[in-house]
Amino acid sequence: MILSLSSQNVIQYLQNVGLCSLEDGTLYESELPENSGNNRNLLVNLPDNRKLLVKQERRLNFDSNIHQFFNEWLFHQLLQKFPVLGNISELPSLLLHFDEENSIIVRSYLSEYVELGKFYQNNSIFPTEIATAIGTTLAGLHCSTFQRREYQDFMDTAPQGQFRYHFYNPAQGIGSINQDIFSKIPTEALKFHVLYQRYESLESAIADLAYEWKPCCLTHNDLQLNNILVHSRWQQLDNCLMRVIDWEACAWGDPAFDLGTLLASYIKIWLSSLVVDPSLELEESLNLAMIPLEIIQPSMLAVIRAYLQAFRLILDERQDFILRVIQFTGLALTHQIQNMIECCKYFDNTHICMLEVAKNLLISPEESVLTVFGSSETEILQSVKGYHKIVQSEEKQLLRIYYGKTRLRGC
């Protein structure tokens, strides 16, 4: 029988698996932090000021994806099996226990760290030092595992007695509308599917991304701002200590996808601050954002520059790497809209703006680089020390990543 964890039995479970003692049981207390849609999260406070995060997958009849926690456990096993990867072993929090039968993992809770998304929201600042640390750290993960077959084979390991695909390709578009969708999403969200399917060029660009998918290193595959932690005393430290959590989707993949997912989270900060009204043109709404894009651009530019400086080899592998990052940024925005609709049953005019931005990132990446980063592709590449590439001397003119004359009509 599958055990279902709760605040009433989590202490007993930890005692049974040897993570806390029976004698100290009465001194423990547990609290329920924010839970994700897929997992039940329990934060347990120990008497010695240690904290444990206990996570269990919410799986109806336990017939959904069974590899998520296994992936995170496998990633930690990879770090232990190959000590040469010590430079990335500090990225995740320590995994203390994995219960495959009950789909439970227990890891140390990093109480001195704060989610980067909350840091930005609470402080309304975007220090380039943090962005530079993120780019360098992510490049370290990708570069350390780049084209290493032994790491790839290890990450392809399947749970005992089960089968898994060798490659997971997340470069997928939105599925077609069928009659079942009417009972799953709010009526106003149907406009998203109508708009999405109206643009053949959008679906074509996503199909090209999927076709050109070339897994070459270990990727996180869910690198949103809420999965990146920054130390609460980052300004007092010699280096900006970063941590990355929730490795449930990690797999052998395309590094541009990780960067695109990250940049999409930054752009979402801008888009979520829009002043949206049916009487305003889209360009006006974007220009009236409470958090202007120009405030966020330096951080996005710092991420890509630091990443390329630490992982110049990727430019030899993919000379169109920056353009692919831009396209994956657009793809991640469409996935964020879809997740909001499916999980929160919510859709509004802001998401229509987001779809317009995503579309232009996907179908016109060359023209979108300057708008996203505030620098052209040529300028970014020239800032990478030791990298030389023949580039066109003619600079591209800035082209907005939205349509200036598009008007939101009563939705």
Side-chain angles (χ1 to χ4, degrees), residues 38 57-65:
N38 297 325
E57 284 185 276
R58 297 179 185 273
R59 296 187 294 175
L60 297 177
N61 300 323
F62 272 64
D63 58 354
S64 59
N65 184 1

Side-chain angles (χ1 to χ4, degrees), residues 221-284:
N221 290 332
D222 191 21
L223 202 65
Q224 302 182 62
L225 293 179
N226 59 352
N227 284 334
I228 299 176
L229 307 181
V230 60
H231 201 283
S232 58
R233 294 182 289 108
W234 64 273
Q235 290 179 301
Q236 286 75 47
L237 300 175
D238 292 335
N239 56 350
C240 183
L241 295 182
M242 308 299 305
R243 297 290 190 121
V244 180
I245 58 174
D246 290 350
W247 293 81
E248 301 161 20
C250 71
W252 207 251
D254 190 325
F257 182 81
D258 271 353
L259 274 170
T261 304
L262 173 62
L263 294 179
S265 290
Y266 276 101
I267 290 179
K268 186 179 178 181
I269 296 175
W270 165 52
L271 294 175
S272 298
S273 72
L274 298 184
V275 177
V276 180
D277 188 272
S279 64
L280 295 175
E281 292 189 355
L282 181 55
E283 181 177 358
E284 293 178 283

Side-chain angles (χ1 to χ4, degrees), residues 136-205:
T136 302
T137 300
L138 183 59
L141 169 68
H142 294 164
C143 186
S144 297
T145 58
F146 181 66
Q147 302 289 28
R148 297 296 297 268
R149 185 57 184 264
E150 63 271 33
Y151 304 152
Q152 177 183 343
D153 290 343
F154 189 88
M155 293 304 298
D156 284 343
T157 304
Q160 185 175 3
Q162 299 180 29
F163 174 81
R164 65 190 292 173
Y165 292 106
H166 287 287
F167 299 129
Y168 164 65
N169 186 346
Q172 305 296 326
I174 308 302
S176 301
I177 295 179
N178 55 51
Q179 63 181 20
D180 294 335
I181 199 171
F182 295 98
S183 61
K184 297 179 180 179
I185 67 173
T187 303
E188 59 269 20
L190 292 176
K191 187 174 182 61
F192 165 66
H193 290 271
V194 172
L195 290 173
Y196 175 85
Q197 295 186 5
R198 178 184 299 173
Y199 306 119
E200 294 184 3
S201 57
L202 177 60
E203 293 189 282
S204 176

